[in-house]
Amino acid sequence: MSLSAAVGEIANQSLPRHVAIIMDGNGRWAQSRGKMRVHGHKAGVKSVRDAVSFAARAGMQALTLFAFSSENWRRPAGEVNALMELFMLVLGREVDTLHQNGIRLRVIGDTRRFSDRLRDKIAKAEALTANNPGLTLNIAANYGGQWDIAQAARRMAEEVAAGRLACDQITEESFTHFVCMGDLPPVDLLIRTGGDHRISNFVLWQMAYAELYFTPVLWPDFDEQQFSEAIASFVSRERRFGCTGEQIRALIADRKTG
């Protein structure tokens, strides 16, 4: 197959519909520069912007970012408070830009532990972007994959108890509608930055058949080139065309100008 034909085939079939990213390495990035860990989280905001822009230009249906796990509450109180304030600040600054670019924002996870002020900001941001037709950006905050499965099972049990669902109607397909992001395609590609090779209780149900990509690059250094290399790896596994990250970026640039 020629390169041009391969690129055309990729455009039609092989790019991932849904990418999930574990954004790891912010603290180590800051510490390596002699700075407080929170400085790394602030630096990582640019990588979030770049990833969202890249995913939108690539025509992905969904991008899910692991911002704060249910286990992160164990971190020092000062870091947790700084993360919450940063979350508030970024929501306030970025939501209008997301809306202008047709991106739908969702926050997935158990938000009951957040402050009323943060929950109000989340609700307003989701309402503003709810009808946008482009990329769905999911921010996983106080989220855990086991929590997600447990809350789905609880909701299904409530439906059975209320007589709205029969036990024999509980299938893998019906269960999918009760977990977070049940209306979106399953995760095709999971990326983890920072060098660790584990999935850390993230989107366990949704990534049952996902390709896994681990990179030593710390999150604040994860840019468009790094993202395109991850996509190229996915494409080579799925379609065996052996395209490079540079060719992936060229394809996405063509989509933008086409």
Side-chain angles (χ1 to χ4, degrees):
M1 178 181 291
S2 69
L3 176 59
S4 60
V7 169
E9 187 73 9
I10 291 167
N12 291 330
Q13 298 182 26
S14 294
L15 291 176
R17 298 168 299 168
H18 188 169
V19 173
I21 305 179
I22 300 174
M23 306 179 293
D24 199 12
N26 290 325
R28 281 172 285 154
W29 185 91
Q31 290 172 332
S32 70
R33 289 160 172 78
K35 298 178 184 271
M36 299 288 289
R37 288 174 57 86
V38 69
H39 184 80
H41 296 300
K42 292 178 179 178
V45 172
K46 181 181 184 301
S47 294
V48 170
R49 291 193 194 102
D50 291 345
V52 172
S53 174
F54 184 86
R57 286 184 284 118
M60 295 177 193
Q61 293 183 42
L63 175 68
T64 300
L65 303 178
F66 207 3
F68 191 86
S69 78
S70 51
E71 289 82 16
N72 285 157
W73 294 105
R74 302 169 188 165
R75 293 185 177 186
E79 182 177 351
V80 171
N81 291 336
L83 281 170
M84 292 299 105
E85 288 302 316
L86 181 61
F87 195 10
M88 291 268 296
L89 182 64
V90 171
L91 267 178
R93 285 181 176 176
E94 303 295 332
V95 67
D96 286 340
T97 300
L98 294 174
H99 184 49
Q100 291 166 10
N101 286 281
I103 294 170
R104 178 172 59 162
L105 175 69
R106 287 182 178 175
V107 176
I108 62 170
D110 186 357
T111 60
R112 292 174 297 179
R113 194 168 176 179
F114 294 157
S115 68
D116 291 342
R117 193 161 59 105
L118 179 52
R119 289 201 304 270
D120 183 61
K121 272 191 173 290
I122 290 171
K124 288 179 178 177
E126 290 181 329
L128 176 66
T129 63
N131 296 319
N132 288 343
L135 174 78
T136 296
L137 172 62
N138 304 294
I139 303 297
N142 197 24
Y143 175 91
Q146 293 175 332
W147 165 86
D148 193 359
I149 293 170
Q151 66 86 27
R154 183 171 57 252
R155 289 171 56 203
M156 291 195 87
E158 290 169 352
E159 292 295 299
V160 171
R164 294 188 292 266
L165 183 70
C167 287
D168 60 6
Q169 292 178 300
I170 298 176
T171 63
E172 293 175 14
E173 182 179 0
S174 64
F175 190 84
T176 296
H177 295 294
F178 286 82
V179 297
C180 295
M181 307 184 294
D183 60 329
L184 296 172
V187 174
D188 296 312
L189 172 64
L190 173 74
I191 300 169
R192 181 173 187 142
T193 64
D196 286 334
H197 291 70
R198 56 179 178 268
I199 58 177
S200 295
N201 193 24
F202 188 39
V203 291
L204 300 178
W205 181 270
Q206 297 89 336
M207 61 169 281
Y209 293 99
E211 294 290 331
L212 308 181
Y213 182 87
F214 301 102
T215 174
V217 175
L218 303 177
W219 177 247
D221 293 327
F222 189 86
D223 56 16
E224 182 174 302
Q225 178 179 347
Q226 300 293 337
F227 203 163
S228 64
E229 292 295 338
I231 301 300
S233 175
F234 173 85
V235 168
S236 69
R237 299 181 207 180
E238 291 292 292
R239 303 300 297 168
R240 303 299 178 190
F241 294 145
C243 288
T244 66
E246 183 178 356
Q247 290 164 346
I248 294 295
R249 293 193 294 278
L251 164 63
I252 290 169
D254 288 343
R255 280 188 166 194
K256 182 178 180 181
T257 58

